[in-house]
Structure formats: structure tokens, C-alpha cells
């Protein structure tokens, strides 16, 4: 999957931006990245798999981590479409 197919939106409450970003592939939510202030790191995770999570030192690093995981995860389904 190309990165440009993932759309990132910043979450907000009452028009106040949060340190949380949600990733969508079309209409499907594929994961999110949020800041963990206690550990001072950006954590990514996905509801597509129970063990899908990781972290990065910046929001961009965590986003890249999620995108890399998603590409590898989707490869498991390639035989279904061939």
C-alpha cells in the first residue's frame, strides 16, 4: 500500500487539537498514533490485529511505523486476491 493512500486526521475536542492522529484507508479506520506523556513517546496501534502496536520518538516516526506494519500485514492477504 502506498503511503498516499492513507489519510491522517488530527483528532480534536471542542475545536482543540489533540496529540492524536487517526489513519484511514478510504472509509476504513486502520490505526492511530497518540502521544503518551508518561513515557514521552508516540504510540501507534491498530484495531485490525490485537498485537498491532509500536512506538516512535516523534509523531511522524510513529506514523511511518504504523504504515510499515500495515503494508506487511496486508501482504498476508495477497494469496486471496491472486
Amino acid at each position: 500500500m502506498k503511503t498516499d493512500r492513507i489519510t491522517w486526521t488530527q483528532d480534536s475536542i471542542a475545536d482543540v487539537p489533540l496529540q492524536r492522529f487517526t489513519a484511514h484507508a478510504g472509509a476504513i479506520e486502520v490505526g492511530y498514533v497518540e502521544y503518551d506523556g508518561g513515557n514521552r513517546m508516540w504510540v501507534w496501534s491498530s484495531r485490525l490485529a490485537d498485537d498491532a502496536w509500536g512506538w516512535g520518538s516523534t509523531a511522524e516516526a510513529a506514523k511511518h511505523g504504523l504504515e510499515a506494519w500495515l503494508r506487511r500485514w496486508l501482504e498476508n492477504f495477497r494469496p486471496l486476491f491472486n
Side-chain angles (χ1 to χ4, degrees):
M1 176 177 274
K2 291 183 181 179
T3 304
D4 61 355
R5 292 187 183 170
I6 296 176
T7 304
W8 289 95
T9 56
Q10 186 171 13
D11 296 347
S12 64
I13 295 177
D15 293 327
V16 175
L18 302 175
Q19 290 185 319
R20 179 182 163 102
F21 299 88
T22 304
H24 289 87
I28 301 169
E29 180 182 313
V30 294
Y32 64 91
V33 166
E34 66 184 336
Y35 186 69
D36 177 350
N39 292 309
R40 297 186 195 174
M41 67 175 117
W42 288 86
V43 178
W44 66 262
S45 64
S46 175
R47 293 183 181 137
L48 298 174
D50 291 336
D51 61 349
W53 71 275
W55 64 276
S57 58
T58 66
E60 289 305 312
K63 288 177 184 179
H64 288 296
L66 173 65
E67 292 168 359
W69 170 83
L70 184 59
R71 281 190 295 275
R72 287 190 309 270
W73 185 77
L74 288 171
E75 280 298 316
N76 294 318
F77 299 98
R78 185 178 295 276
L80 295 172
F81 300 104
N82 287 335

